[in-house]
Amino acid sequence: MTHLCRIPLAVVAFLLVGATHAAPEAICGRWLTADKEGLVHVYIDAHGKLAGRIVGGFGPSDRDAKNPDPALRSRPVLGLKLMQGFSRDGDVWKGGEIYDPDEGKTYKATVRLAENDSGKLLLRGYVGLPMFGRTEEWTRSAAPTTEACKDPSMR
């Protein structure tokens, strides 16, 4: 105990703050949705915003049939950009939105990695205020690679 007291408080505070902020790239990669039926590639777009595209769990014939815009109902779900516009604020990405093709609805959302590097992504979708939303837990499907933060449609 006496050894810990010799470490300056400023150093301890720096170490604790540094340990809690993951690199922006830590969130990138492929994630299984909560129902384990969809696969989403989460990446940083050309504007530095967090985004995500559906890269699995749907076939080439699956369409965005419940989209509120009739002109978009024939577009394929595979490859669809369903997350966009998230800016980083500490360990939380916020200010973005997520589209649910199963419902044809778009929600405001926040995204963050679960604590302790558990391989979980916590996505909270809401209407109005975050307290009136629902949190889903996505599971990392594979270890991130050097390509993980790139838009899969641009490769």
CSV table of all heavy atoms in Angstrom, one decimal, residues 58-102:
chain,number,residue,atom,x,y,z
A,58,PHE,N,-28.3,-12.0,-45.6
A,58,PHE,CA,-29.3,-11.8,-46.6
A,58,PHE,C,-28.8,-12.3,-47.9
A,58,PHE,O,-27.6,-12.2,-48.2
A,58,PHE,CB,-29.7,-10.3,-46.7
A,58,PHE,CG,-30.3,-9.8,-45.5
A,58,PHE,CD1,-29.6,-9.2,-44.4
A,58,PHE,CD2,-31.7,-9.8,-45.4
A,58,PHE,CE1,-30.2,-8.7,-43.3
A,58,PHE,CE2,-32.3,-9.2,-44.2
A,58,PHE,CZ,-31.6,-8.7,-43.2
A,59,GLY,N,-29.7,-12.8,-48.7
A,59,GLY,CA,-29.3,-13.3,-50.1
A,59,GLY,C,-29.5,-12.2,-51.1
A,59,GLY,O,-30.1,-11.1,-50.8
A,60,PRO,N,-29.0,-12.4,-52.3
A,60,PRO,CA,-29.1,-11.4,-53.4
A,60,PRO,C,-30.5,-11.1,-53.8
A,60,PRO,O,-30.8,-10.0,-54.3
A,60,PRO,CB,-28.3,-12.0,-54.5
A,60,PRO,CG,-27.9,-13.4,-54.1
A,60,PRO,CD,-28.3,-13.6,-52.7
A,61,SER,N,-31.4,-11.9,-53.5
A,61,SER,CA,-32.8,-11.7,-53.9
A,61,SER,C,-33.6,-10.9,-52.8
A,61,SER,O,-34.8,-10.5,-53.0
A,61,SER,CB,-33.5,-13.0,-54.3
A,61,SER,OG,-33.6,-13.8,-53.2
A,62,ASP,N,-33.1,-10.8,-51.6
A,62,ASP,CA,-33.8,-10.1,-50.5
A,62,ASP,C,-33.8,-8.6,-50.8
A,62,ASP,O,-32.8,-8.0,-51.1
A,62,ASP,CB,-33.1,-10.4,-49.1
A,62,ASP,CG,-33.2,-11.8,-48.7
A,62,ASP,OD1,-34.3,-12.4,-48.8
A,62,ASP,OD2,-32.2,-12.3,-48.1
A,63,ARG,N,-35.0,-8.1,-50.6
A,63,ARG,CA,-35.2,-6.6,-51.0
A,63,ARG,C,-35.7,-5.9,-49.7
A,63,ARG,O,-36.2,-6.4,-48.7
A,63,ARG,CB,-36.3,-6.5,-52.0
A,63,ARG,CG,-35.9,-7.2,-53.3
A,63,ARG,CD,-34.8,-6.5,-54.0
A,63,ARG,NE,-34.4,-7.2,-55.2
A,63,ARG,CZ,-33.1,-7.3,-55.5
A,63,ARG,NH1,-32.1,-6.9,-54.8
A,63,ARG,NH2,-32.8,-8.0,-56.6
A,64,ASP,N,-35.5,-4.6,-49.8
A,64,ASP,CA,-35.9,-3.6,-48.7
A,64,ASP,C,-37.4,-3.4,-48.8
A,64,ASP,O,-37.9,-2.2,-48.9
A,64,ASP,CB,-35.1,-2.4,-48.9
A,64,ASP,CG,-35.2,-1.4,-47.7
A,64,ASP,OD1,-35.7,-1.9,-46.6
A,64,ASP,OD2,-34.8,-0.3,-47.8
A,65,ALA,N,-38.2,-4.4,-48.7
A,65,ALA,CA,-39.6,-4.4,-49.0
A,65,ALA,C,-40.5,-3.5,-48.1
A,65,ALA,O,-41.5,-3.0,-48.4
A,65,ALA,CB,-40.2,-5.8,-49.0
A,66,LYS,N,-40.0,-3.3,-46.8
A,66,LYS,CA,-40.8,-2.5,-45.9
A,66,LYS,C,-40.3,-1.0,-45.8
A,66,LYS,O,-40.8,-0.3,-45.0
A,66,LYS,CB,-40.7,-3.1,-44.5
A,66,LYS,CG,-41.4,-4.5,-44.5
A,66,LYS,CD,-41.5,-5.0,-43.1
A,66,LYS,CE,-42.3,-6.3,-43.1
A,66,LYS,NZ,-42.4,-6.9,-41.8
A,67,ASN,N,-39.5,-0.6,-46.8
A,67,ASN,CA,-39.0,0.8,-46.8
A,67,ASN,C,-40.2,1.7,-47.0
A,67,ASN,O,-41.1,1.4,-47.8
A,67,ASN,CB,-38.0,1.0,-47.9
A,67,ASN,CG,-37.3,2.3,-47.7
A,67,ASN,OD1,-37.8,3.4,-47.8
A,67,ASN,ND2,-36.0,2.2,-47.5
A,68,PRO,N,-40.3,2.8,-46.2
A,68,PRO,CA,-41.4,3.7,-46.4
A,68,PRO,C,-41.5,4.4,-47.7
A,68,PRO,O,-42.5,4.9,-48.2
A,68,PRO,CB,-41.3,4.7,-45.2
A,68,PRO,CG,-39.9,4.6,-44.8
A,68,PRO,CD,-39.4,3.2,-45.1
A,69,ASP,N,-40.4,4.5,-48.4
A,69,ASP,CA,-40.3,5.1,-49.8
A,69,ASP,C,-40.5,3.9,-50.8
A,69,ASP,O,-39.6,3.1,-51.0
A,69,ASP,CB,-38.9,5.7,-50.0
A,69,ASP,CG,-38.8,6.4,-51.3
A,69,ASP,OD1,-39.6,6.2,-52.2
A,69,ASP,OD2,-37.8,7.2,-51.5
A,70,PRO,N,-41.6,3.9,-51.5
A,70,PRO,CA,-41.9,2.9,-52.5
A,70,PRO,C,-40.8,2.7,-53.5
A,70,PRO,O,-40.6,1.6,-54.0
A,70,PRO,CB,-43.2,3.3,-53.1
A,70,PRO,CG,-43.9,4.2,-52.1
A,70,PRO,CD,-42.8,4.9,-51.4
A,71,ALA,N,-40.1,3.8,-53.8
A,71,ALA,CA,-39.1,3.7,-54.9
A,71,ALA,C,-37.9,2.9,-54.4
A,71,ALA,O,-37.1,2.4,-55.2
A,71,ALA,CB,-38.6,5.1,-55.2
A,72,LEU,N,-37.7,2.7,-53.1
A,72,LEU,CA,-36.6,2.0,-52.5
A,72,LEU,C,-36.9,0.6,-52.1
A,72,LEU,O,-36.0,-0.2,-51.7
A,72,LEU,CB,-36.0,2.7,-51.3
A,72,LEU,CG,-35.5,4.1,-51.5
A,72,LEU,CD1,-35.1,4.8,-50.2
A,72,LEU,CD2,-34.3,4.1,-52.5
A,73,ARG,N,-38.1,0.1,-52.3
A,73,ARG,CA,-38.5,-1.2,-51.8
A,73,ARG,C,-37.9,-2.3,-52.7
A,73,ARG,O,-37.9,-3.5,-52.2
A,73,ARG,CB,-40.1,-1.3,-51.8
A,73,ARG,CG,-40.7,-0.5,-50.7
A,73,ARG,CD,-42.1,-0.6,-50.7
A,73,ARG,NE,-42.6,0.4,-49.7
A,73,ARG,CZ,-43.9,0.9,-49.7
A,73,ARG,NH1,-44.7,0.5,-50.6
A,73,ARG,NH2,-44.2,1.7,-48.7
A,74,SER,N,-37.4,-2.0,-53.8
A,74,SER,CA,-36.9,-3.1,-54.7
A,74,SER,C,-35.3,-3.1,-54.6
A,74,SER,O,-34.7,-4.0,-55.2
A,74,SER,CB,-37.2,-2.8,-56.2
A,74,SER,OG,-36.7,-1.6,-56.6
A,75,ARG,N,-34.7,-2.3,-53.7
A,75,ARG,CA,-33.3,-2.3,-53.6
A,75,ARG,C,-32.9,-3.5,-52.8
A,75,ARG,O,-33.6,-3.9,-51.8
A,75,ARG,CB,-32.7,-1.0,-53.0
A,75,ARG,CG,-33.0,-0.8,-51.6
A,75,ARG,CD,-32.4,0.5,-51.1
A,75,ARG,NE,-32.8,0.8,-49.7
A,75,ARG,CZ,-32.4,1.8,-49.0
A,75,ARG,NH1,-31.6,2.6,-49.5
A,75,ARG,NH2,-32.8,1.9,-47.7
A,76,PRO,N,-31.7,-4.1,-53.1
A,76,PRO,CA,-31.2,-5.2,-52.3
A,76,PRO,C,-30.8,-4.8,-50.9
A,76,PRO,O,-30.3,-3.7,-50.6
A,76,PRO,CB,-30.0,-5.7,-53.0
A,76,PRO,CG,-29.9,-4.9,-54.3
A,76,PRO,CD,-30.8,-3.8,-54.2
A,77,VAL,N,-31.1,-5.7,-49.9
A,77,VAL,CA,-30.7,-5.5,-48.5
A,77,VAL,C,-29.2,-5.7,-48.4
A,77,VAL,O,-28.5,-5.0,-47.6
A,77,VAL,CB,-31.5,-6.4,-47.6
A,77,VAL,CG1,-31.1,-6.2,-46.1
A,77,VAL,CG2,-33.0,-6.0,-47.6
A,78,LEU,N,-28.7,-6.7,-49.1
A,78,LEU,CA,-27.3,-7.1,-49.0
A,78,LEU,C,-26.5,-5.9,-49.6
A,78,LEU,O,-26.8,-5.4,-50.7
A,78,LEU,CB,-27.0,-8.3,-49.8
A,78,LEU,CG,-25.6,-9.0,-49.6
A,78,LEU,CD1,-25.4,-9.4,-48.1
A,78,LEU,CD2,-25.5,-10.2,-50.5
A,79,GLY,N,-25.6,-5.3,-48.8
A,79,GLY,CA,-24.8,-4.1,-49.2
A,79,GLY,C,-25.4,-2.8,-48.8
A,79,GLY,O,-24.8,-1.8,-49.0
A,80,LEU,N,-26.6,-2.9,-48.2
A,80,LEU,CA,-27.3,-1.7,-47.7
A,80,LEU,C,-26.5,-1.0,-46.6
A,80,LEU,O,-26.1,-1.6,-45.6
A,80,LEU,CB,-28.7,-2.1,-47.3
A,80,LEU,CG,-29.6,-0.9,-46.8
A,80,LEU,CD1,-30.0,-0.1,-48.0
A,80,LEU,CD2,-30.8,-1.5,-46.1
A,81,LYS,N,-26.4,0.3,-46.7
A,81,LYS,CA,-25.8,1.1,-45.6
A,81,LYS,C,-26.9,1.4,-44.6
A,81,LYS,O,-27.8,2.1,-44.8
A,81,LYS,CB,-25.2,2.4,-46.2
A,81,LYS,CG,-24.4,3.2,-45.2
A,81,LYS,CD,-23.8,4.4,-45.9
A,81,LYS,CE,-22.8,5.2,-45.0
A,81,LYS,NZ,-22.2,6.3,-45.7
A,82,LEU,N,-26.8,0.7,-43.4
A,82,LEU,CA,-27.8,0.9,-42.4
A,82,LEU,C,-27.4,1.7,-41.2
A,82,LEU,O,-28.3,2.1,-40.5
A,82,LEU,CB,-28.3,-0.5,-42.0
A,82,LEU,CG,-27.5,-1.3,-40.9
A,82,LEU,CD1,-28.4,-2.2,-40.1
A,82,LEU,CD2,-26.4,-2.0,-41.5
A,83,MET,N,-26.1,2.0,-41.1
A,83,MET,CA,-25.7,2.9,-40.0
A,83,MET,C,-24.9,4.0,-40.6
A,83,MET,O,-24.1,3.8,-41.5
A,83,MET,CB,-24.7,2.2,-39.1
A,83,MET,CG,-25.3,1.0,-38.3
A,83,MET,SD,-24.0,0.1,-37.4
A,83,MET,CE,-23.2,1.4,-36.4
A,84,GLN,N,-25.1,5.3,-40.1
A,84,GLN,CA,-24.3,6.4,-40.7
A,84,GLN,C,-24.4,7.6,-39.8
A,84,GLN,O,-25.3,7.7,-39.0
A,84,GLN,CB,-24.8,6.7,-42.1
A,84,GLN,CG,-26.3,7.2,-42.1
A,84,GLN,CD,-26.7,7.4,-43.6
A,84,GLN,OE1,-26.0,7.3,-44.5
A,84,GLN,NE2,-28.0,7.7,-43.7
A,85,GLY,N,-23.4,8.4,-39.9
A,85,GLY,CA,-23.3,9.7,-39.3
A,85,GLY,C,-22.9,9.8,-37.8
A,85,GLY,O,-23.1,10.8,-37.2
A,86,PHE,N,-22.3,8.7,-37.3
A,86,PHE,CA,-21.9,8.7,-35.9
A,86,PHE,C,-20.5,9.4,-35.7
A,86,PHE,O,-19.5,9.1,-36.4
A,86,PHE,CB,-21.8,7.3,-35.4
A,86,PHE,CG,-23.1,6.6,-35.4
A,86,PHE,CD1,-23.5,5.8,-36.4
A,86,PHE,CD2,-23.9,6.6,-34.2
A,86,PHE,CE1,-24.7,5.2,-36.4
A,86,PHE,CE2,-25.1,6.0,-34.2
A,86,PHE,CZ,-25.5,5.2,-35.2
A,87,SER,N,-20.5,10.3,-34.7
A,87,SER,CA,-19.2,11.0,-34.4
A,87,SER,C,-18.8,10.5,-33.0
A,87,SER,O,-19.6,10.2,-32.1
A,87,SER,CB,-19.5,12.5,-34.3
A,87,SER,OG,-19.8,13.0,-35.5
A,88,ARG,N,-17.5,10.4,-32.8
A,88,ARG,CA,-16.9,9.9,-31.6
A,88,ARG,C,-16.9,11.0,-30.5
A,88,ARG,O,-16.5,12.1,-30.7
A,88,ARG,CB,-15.5,9.4,-31.8
A,88,ARG,CG,-15.0,8.7,-30.6
A,88,ARG,CD,-13.7,8.0,-30.9
A,88,ARG,NE,-13.3,7.2,-29.7
A,88,ARG,CZ,-12.1,6.9,-29.4
A,88,ARG,NH1,-11.1,7.3,-30.2
A,88,ARG,NH2,-11.8,6.2,-28.3
A,89,ASP,N,-17.4,10.6,-29.3
A,89,ASP,CA,-17.4,11.4,-28.1
A,89,ASP,C,-16.8,10.5,-27.0
A,89,ASP,O,-17.6,9.8,-26.3
A,89,ASP,CB,-18.7,12.0,-27.8
A,89,ASP,CG,-18.8,12.9,-26.6
A,89,ASP,OD1,-17.7,13.3,-26.1
A,89,ASP,OD2,-19.9,13.3,-26.2
A,90,GLY,N,-15.5,10.5,-26.8
A,90,GLY,CA,-15.0,9.6,-25.8
A,90,GLY,C,-15.1,8.2,-26.3
A,90,GLY,O,-14.6,7.9,-27.4
A,91,ASP,N,-15.7,7.3,-25.6
A,91,ASP,CA,-15.9,5.9,-26.0
A,91,ASP,C,-17.3,5.6,-26.6
A,91,ASP,O,-17.6,4.5,-26.9
A,91,ASP,CB,-15.7,5.0,-24.8
A,91,ASP,CG,-14.2,4.8,-24.4
A,91,ASP,OD1,-13.4,5.1,-25.3
A,91,ASP,OD2,-14.0,4.4,-23.3
A,92,VAL,N,-18.0,6.7,-26.8
A,92,VAL,CA,-19.4,6.6,-27.4
A,92,VAL,C,-19.4,7.2,-28.8
A,92,VAL,O,-18.8,8.3,-29.0
A,92,VAL,CB,-20.4,7.2,-26.5
A,92,VAL,CG1,-21.8,7.1,-27.1
A,92,VAL,CG2,-20.4,6.6,-25.1
A,93,TRP,N,-20.0,6.6,-29.7
A,93,TRP,CA,-20.3,7.2,-31.0
A,93,TRP,C,-21.7,7.6,-31.0
A,93,TRP,O,-22.6,6.8,-30.8
A,93,TRP,CB,-20.0,6.2,-32.1
A,93,TRP,CG,-18.5,5.8,-32.2
A,93,TRP,CD1,-17.9,4.9,-31.4
A,93,TRP,CD2,-17.6,6.3,-33.2
A,93,TRP,NE1,-16.6,4.8,-31.8
A,93,TRP,CE2,-16.4,5.7,-32.9
A,93,TRP,CE3,-17.7,7.2,-34.2
A,93,TRP,CZ2,-15.2,5.9,-33.6
A,93,TRP,CZ3,-16.5,7.5,-34.9
A,93,TRP,CH2,-15.3,6.8,-34.6
A,94,LYS,N,-22.0,8.9,-31.3
A,94,LYS,CA,-23.4,9.4,-31.3
A,94,LYS,C,-23.7,10.3,-32.4
A,94,LYS,O,-22.8,10.7,-33.2
A,94,LYS,CB,-23.7,10.0,-29.9
A,94,LYS,CG,-22.8,11.0,-29.4
A,94,LYS,CD,-23.3,11.4,-28.0
A,94,LYS,CE,-22.2,12.1,-27.2
A,94,LYS,NZ,-22.6,12.4,-25.9
A,95,GLY,N,-24.9,10.8,-32.5
A,95,GLY,CA,-25.4,11.7,-33.5
A,95,GLY,C,-25.7,11.0,-34.8
A,95,GLY,O,-26.0,11.7,-35.8
A,96,GLY,N,-25.7,9.7,-34.8
A,96,GLY,CA,-26.0,9.0,-36.1
A,96,GLY,C,-27.4,8.4,-36.1
A,96,GLY,O,-28.2,8.6,-35.2
A,97,GLU,N,-27.6,7.6,-37.1
A,97,GLU,CA,-28.9,6.9,-37.2
A,97,GLU,C,-28.7,5.5,-37.7
A,97,GLU,O,-27.7,5.2,-38.4
A,97,GLU,CB,-29.8,7.7,-38.1
A,97,GLU,CG,-29.4,7.9,-39.5
A,97,GLU,CD,-30.3,8.8,-40.3
A,97,GLU,OE1,-31.0,9.6,-39.7
A,97,GLU,OE2,-30.3,8.6,-41.5
A,98,ILE,N,-29.6,4.7,-37.4
A,98,ILE,CA,-29.6,3.3,-37.9
A,98,ILE,C,-31.0,2.9,-38.5
A,98,ILE,O,-32.0,3.3,-38.0
A,98,ILE,CB,-29.2,2.3,-36.8
A,98,ILE,CG1,-29.1,0.9,-37.4
A,98,ILE,CG2,-30.2,2.3,-35.6
A,98,ILE,CD1,-28.3,-0.1,-36.5
A,99,TYR,N,-30.9,2.2,-39.6
A,99,TYR,CA,-32.1,1.8,-40.4
A,99,TYR,C,-32.3,0.3,-40.1
A,99,TYR,O,-31.4,-0.5,-40.2
A,99,TYR,CB,-31.9,2.1,-41.9
A,99,TYR,CG,-33.0,1.5,-42.7
A,99,TYR,CD1,-34.3,2.1,-42.7
A,99,TYR,CD2,-32.9,0.5,-43.5
A,99,TYR,CE1,-35.3,1.7,-43.4
A,99,TYR,CE2,-33.9,0.0,-44.3
A,99,TYR,CZ,-35.1,0.6,-44.3
A,99,TYR,OH,-36.2,0.1,-45.0
A,100,ASP,N,-33.6,0.0,-39.8
A,100,ASP,CA,-34.0,-1.4,-39.5
A,100,ASP,C,-34.8,-1.9,-40.8
A,100,ASP,O,-35.9,-1.5,-40.9
A,100,ASP,CB,-34.8,-1.5,-38.3
A,100,ASP,CG,-35.2,-2.9,-38.0
A,100,ASP,OD1,-35.0,-3.8,-38.8
A,100,ASP,OD2,-35.8,-3.1,-36.9
A,101,PRO,N,-34.1,-2.7,-41.7
A,101,PRO,CA,-34.9,-3.1,-42.8
A,101,PRO,C,-36.0,-4.1,-42.5
A,101,PRO,O,-36.9,-4.2,-43.3
A,101,PRO,CB,-33.8,-3.8,-43.7
A,101,PRO,CG,-32.7,-4.2,-42.7
A,101,PRO,CD,-32.8,-3.2,-41.6
A,102,ASP,N,-36.0,-4.7,-41.4
A,102,ASP,CA,-37.1,-5.6,-41.0
A,102,ASP,C,-38.4,-4.8,-40.7
A,102,ASP,O,-39.5,-5.3,-40.9
A,102,ASP,CB,-36.7,-6.5,-39.8
A,102,ASP,CG,-35.7,-7.5,-40.1
A,102,ASP,OD1,-35.6,-7.9,-41.3
A,102,ASP,OD2,-34.9,-7.9,-39.2
